[in-house]
Amino acid sequence: MKKIILPIITVMLLFFISIVVFPRLPLSPSDDEKEDSRDSPADEQGTLKGYYFNGYIDIREPFEDFDEATTYMYYMNNHLKDYLNQSVMVQNTEQDEDFIHYFEQLDEPVRPVSFQNKYDLNNGEYVKVTFKGGIMETHPMKIGEVIDVEVVNSTE
């Protein structure tokens, strides 16, 4: 019996000593510490690269194959808005199926990001957009305040 009681008493004594000797560490930082330790979403800055079309940037790597790029430009110029609205307007015409099929078969899905275009951009230009304020998870996604837009050579 003494063999059991002695270890139990030792463990309890160590437990009480640890409570008294070691200060309690907070489990989570206070609100003031949280604000100081991270930037607010409005201060977050980021960049996106992709093709510009009608107020959207399609986030993707540039095409290297000319025929692939030409086909992509055709569908983005003529059918991007239809593709984005396809869930609202469901029509089963052969033309609709053609562009839906094209967009769905791409290696990288179309990921358009909407932004306020104050710049003189032409459809199909490959751009680098610097912004702050994060990316809103809407459909299509939207970015905060645009700081700079630069047309980049698609071979960079």
Side-chain angles (χ1 to χ4, degrees):
M1 184 84 167
K2 286 184 179 179
K3 290 181 180 179
I4 295 174
I5 293 178
L6 188 59
I8 293 175
I9 291 174
T10 305
V11 169
M12 290 176 62
L13 184 61
L14 288 172
F15 176 72
F16 288 118
I17 290 173
S18 68
I19 291 175
V20 173
V21 173
F22 297 110
R24 274 194 112 168
L25 298 174
L27 296 177
S28 63
S30 69
D31 290 339
D32 292 337
E33 291 171 340
K34 286 180 189 176
E35 288 179 21
D36 293 340
S37 67
R38 62 186 165 113
D39 292 333
S40 67
D43 294 335
E44 289 180 21
Q45 189 169 343
T47 59
L48 299 173
K49 282 186 178 180
Y51 290 102
Y52 172 81
F53 288 95
N54 302 316
Y56 297 97
I57 304 162
D58 182 26
I59 306 168
R60 70 176 55 248
E61 294 296 317
F63 289 101
E64 293 181 14
D65 180 81
F66 178 77
D67 290 336
E68 193 176 21
T70 303
T71 304
Y72 171 79
M73 297 298 168
Y74 167 78
Y75 279 101
M76 291 296 284
N77 270 317
N78 296 302
H79 299 291
L80 176 63
K81 294 223 179 201
D82 296 331
Y83 179 68
L84 295 176
N85 293 327
Q86 75 171 335
S87 60
V88 177
M89 299 171 52
V90 178
Q91 297 177 356
N92 287 329
T93 66
E94 206 166 299
Q95 182 181 10
D96 288 339
E97 291 173 3
D98 182 43
F99 76 79
I100 291 170
H101 174 72
Y102 171 77
F103 287 120
E104 290 176 351
Q105 62 86 32
L106 286 171
D107 290 338
E108 296 177 56
V110 174
R111 294 181 293 163
V113 178
S114 174
F115 74 103
Q116 293 293 326
N117 179 17
K118 310 180 263 189
Y119 302 87
D120 188 23
L121 298 175
N122 297 313
N123 283 346
E125 290 183 319
Y126 197 78
V127 296
K128 175 182 175 184
V129 178
T130 305
F131 63 95
K132 70 177 185 177
I135 298 177
M136 293 176 261
E137 295 180 15
T138 59
H139 180 71
M141 296 178 285
K142 296 178 184 171
I143 57 176
E145 178 186 351
V146 175
I147 298 170
D148 186 42
V149 174
E150 175 185 350
V151 177
V152 294
N153 185 348
S154 61
T155 58
E156 287 182 357

